[in-house]
Amino acid sequence: MKALRIAAVVAGLVALFAIPKMTGNEYVLALGVSFAAMSVIAGGLNLVYGYVGLLSFAQVGFFGIGGYAAALLVVDRGWSLWAGVVAGGGLATLVGLVIGYSSLRLSRHAFAIVSLSFALLCMIVARDWVELTRGAMGIPGLPTPVMDLPWGLSWRLVRPADFYYLLMGVAVLSHGLIYLVVTSRLGRAMRAIKLNEPLAQSQGVNPLSYRLLALSLSAFLAGVVGGLFVFYLTIIDPSIFDFYYTETML
């Protein structure tokens, strides 16, 4: 049975990565890029909501923070794409830990309210902090990214198929990481917290630590994907914090 599941997963991955070879239709590839990006963010949300029982509206905030950080570092500071994307994910993680630690010490209901307020505040900051974010006009014309590869090679992301391969690869790695977490001792502790928190505490499980772990991992993944996704769009503006994305994730 296990071998059959592995074979099904491998066949599915082969089919996904073969799509650009079977069709050059840009609409189909655009759907694939959106699918890959949203699946990672939804997977992170499932880690927070499905495994530790926290209703979070903050994912769109982490997504946008990663996008803005990567765009600003690459455009204004001349950082490489990888460095900007990882920095965006790190910043999103830091913000997630601050939000989680400050609100989860009160209650899960407080966290839901704070996460919603945070998402709305992100849009306001992006729109009104013109000196940093360029305001409502955003940052258009993001440069074509060039990724450094091993052995002195480079990959210029010009075609939609290039972004399809990149985002789908990141999605596979992200879901693999999430799978390793939820099937490990960490995942069992997370499920125990959601199902019966007092019983989990009586067994020595610290709910706050595991909730912060789930939140930080989901924030990092959302920030990384946001940093990559905006270079596919070639623009970032306050609409990246739109509630539409939250609905899509849910």
Side-chain angles (χ1 to χ4, degrees), residues 15 22 32 34 41 49 72 97 119 142 161 201 209:
M22 294 187 294
S34 297
I41 305 171
Y49 185 39
L72 289 170
L97 288 173
L142 294 179
Q201 286 180 301
S209 298

Side-chain angles (χ1 to χ4, degrees), residues 29-72:
L29 296 179
L31 287 179
V33 170
S34 297
F35 160 73
M38 290 299 129
S39 73
V40 174
I41 305 171
L45 178 60
N46 184 47
L47 191 64
V48 175
Y49 185 39
Y51 282 86
V52 294
L54 294 176
L55 179 58
S56 174
F57 299 100
Q59 284 293 92
V60 70
F62 304 143
F63 178 64
I65 286 174
Y68 265 105
L72 289 170

